[in-house]
Structure formats: C-alpha cells, structure tokens
Amino acid sequence: MKSPRALVSWVSGPEGDGGMDKSEIRHKVWGKLTDDKLGRFPFPLTNRIPNVKGAEKSAAHVRELEIYKRASVIKVNPDAPQLPLRASILKDGKVLLIPTPRLKDGFVMIRPEDVPEGEARKAASIKHMNAYGRVVPLSGIPRIDLIVVGSVAIHKDGRRLGKGEGYADREYAILREIGNPAVPVLTTIHSAQLVDDDIPRDSFDLAVDYIVTEEGVLETNTPYEKPAGIQWEHVTDEEKELMPILKELERHQSRE
C-alpha cells in the first residue's frame, strides 16, 4: 500500500513565482532548527512538526490571550511541541480535543474532570490520551472555541506550512462540515520558524490568526479565507480507507 505521504500529494502545492516551493521552505526551516540546535526529542526534526525549545514559554503566552481565556473547548494537534499547551488546557479546566494520528480514529475528547490532579501532562500525551479520554463520533463533538495547529514554517501574514500531509487543513474542514463555526486558529512555534519566503498557497490551505512564539504573540490579520469544508474533488478512495473519519463524514452528510 502507498504511504499516506504519497497519497496526499495534493498538499505539496505549486511553486511560487521563481521562489521556493513548499518542500524547499520546509527543509530550510528544519535545517535551521537542526543547525542552531533549537530542536528537542524526537529526532530527526525533519518530516514532522518539530519539537522545539521554548514550547513551554509559548504555551504560557497562549494562556494570557483573551481568546484562550474565553474558550471552553479547544482542539490541539497531537504533536510534541504542543504538549505543554495541551496539559495547560486540562489544568485550566477546559475540554481538550485531540485528533488521533493521521486521523485514523477521528478525535479523542478529554474532559478535565476525568484527569486526576497532577496527571494533566500524562493525560495530554499521545501515549496516554485514550486512557483519560474517549474517541467521539462526529455527532458527539462539542462546539469548539479555539483551534491550535502545529507548523513547520509560518509567514507573518498567516500562511502556514505543516509537515506536508494536510491533516490540519482537513481537520478544520471536517469541523466546518459538521457545523462548527469559523473560530480563531492559532499556532505555537519557535521564532526561528517565522519565514519571509513567499509561501505558495492552495485554496484548501489553512491560514492562522495568531502566531505564538517563545518571545510573544503576533496577530496576523490574515487576508486569506479558511476552508469552509472538505474539497471532495481532492479526496481519493485510498485516502478514505486511510482516514475512516472521511467515510463517517460522508455518512453524516447523507443522513442530513
């Protein structure tokens, strides 16, 4: 069977006008983080949302944002650099929604009341999240107030590059498909991941509203519209097999 990376070639994107393409920008950032020793386990940093130094400081800055303080339910990607923020969400008495890796099982929902004191970081980890939370069907997902995504590279205008497999874009689109309103999207990164490169952009790419680094918060005022739903013309039958939640979404839509 082909790997998911091969199947989601639609996210590789076009090349800019004489500039670097998406893959080149990713590798530039991965290389900089590696050369400047800004990464943390797991290694290598390539082909993943890189775990970076300063992630705890970024999480602390997020907690000071009004959009965070007002949020009751927050969806956060499952990658290592967002673990401090996921743990903080539970400590702060908020509901945490985590996509399962590669969306194979949809979303895991963890309620703060189900996490004993002192176990928030453990509960928010990929290894243990199922022991504290439960996989919820699309019909059981509560209204989400804030979405946090991981990134490899970010432009100050909100254009974002993930690791190249398009899961954050699709997660957002799925949530919109089931009726969740457009909500702020935030990413936590190391400041070295901010780039001036002209990041190529496709219609299904998810732009972010807030960039949070170890140094502070940047509001992007992004001019780019977010996906309003799944662009089914870009979804293959093989991808539906790899991500059963897409089949669930089709069934959900057909019932409606």
Side-chain angles (χ1 to χ4, degrees), residues 27-200:
H27 281 278
K28 170 186 169 182
V29 172
W30 282 323
K32 178 176 178 58
L33 294 174
T34 300
D35 292 344
D36 293 348
K37 301 186 186 316
L38 297 173
R40 303 192 291 197
F41 180 85
F43 294 103
L45 302 179
T46 53
N47 299 320
R48 69 173 82 244
I49 301 297
N51 195 12
V52 289
K53 296 177 180 178
E56 290 79 10
K57 290 182 179 180
S58 297
H61 290 312
V62 173
R63 296 175 79 183
E64 295 302 314
L65 288 170
E66 285 301 318
I67 56 169
Y68 175 85
K69 293 177 181 178
R70 293 195 303 265
S72 298
V73 182
I74 303 178
K75 193 224 80 161
V76 186
N77 58 297
D79 302 282
Q82 282 70 47
L83 175 57
L85 180 55
R86 294 196 300 272
S88 294
I89 288 168
L90 294 172
K91 290 176 184 176
D92 291 336
K94 302 176 186 293
V95 175
L96 175 63
L97 201 72
I98 309 175
T100 56
R102 301 193 185 281
L103 276 180
K104 285 188 175 180
D105 294 314
F107 297 86
V108 171
M109 183 169 66
I110 307 175
R111 297 185 180 277
E113 58 266 30
D114 296 330
V115 180
E117 186 174 353
E119 296 184 27
R121 187 177 178 91
K122 181 179 179 182
S125 68
I126 298 307
K127 183 176 180 180
H128 298 287
M129 64 181 185
N130 288 90
Y132 292 83
R134 61 184 180 88
V135 174
V136 290
L138 292 178
S139 59
I141 294 177
R143 183 192 187 280
I144 295 167
D145 304 306
L146 176 64
I147 290 175
V148 179
V149 296
S151 301
V152 174
I154 284 283
H155 191 280
K156 63 182 179 181
D157 66 6
R159 282 177 291 171
R160 166 193 171 274
L161 291 178
K163 60 180 177 287
E165 295 179 342
Y167 290 104
D169 308 311
R170 283 199 172 165
E171 289 158 11
Y172 182 90
I174 287 168
L175 294 172
R176 291 304 313 277
E177 289 275 8
I178 63 173
N180 207 84
V183 297
V185 176
L186 176 155
T187 190
T188 59
I189 60 165
H190 191 279
S191 53
Q193 294 172 261
L194 274 169
V195 300
D196 293 325
D197 303 288
D198 185 18
I199 295 178

